[in-house]
Structure formats: structure tokens, C-alpha cells
Amino acid sequence: MRNSLAAEAGQLAGLFDEPTLQEQFNQAGRQLLLVLGMELIHRRPKAHSV
């Protein structure tokens, strides 16, 4: 299906390229860091106002 979409996209055909293994690895790393960051923020103790 990617090939037919790329054929119809003209100059934007590169958007439908299959991601490389390195790109997939990088995306997985970014997602992992996001999840870990959100978990750390969620668990941070809240400051009590006086």
C-alpha cells in the first residue's frame, strides 16, 4: 500500500518510505524516555502550601 501512496504523492513520496531499523530504534528510545519522564513527574511529591 505504501508504494501506491508514494506513487500518488509526487514530491511528498518520501513520507511513505519504510522507516529504517535505526529510525525505529530511535523512536522506541524517545517513547521510552517520554514514559519514564511522565512516570517520574507523576510520582514527584507535591509541595504543601502553608
Side-chain angles (χ1 to χ4, degrees):
M1 183 163 185
R2 286 181 187 263
N3 291 336
S4 63
L5 291 172
E8 296 174 19
Q11 290 180 329
L12 301 176
L15 294 175
F16 298 101
D17 288 344
E18 189 73 32
T20 65
L21 185 59
Q22 183 64 49
E23 290 170 335
Q24 292 177 25
F25 183 78
N26 291 345
Q27 182 63 23
R30 284 190 291 270
Q31 290 175 351
L32 176 62
L33 288 174
L34 175 65
V35 169
L36 291 174
M38 295 301 287
E39 184 66 22
L40 289 172
I41 289 171
H42 178 70
R43 290 181 178 217
R44 186 173 63 192
K46 303 209 180 340
H48 296 287
S49 58
V50 178

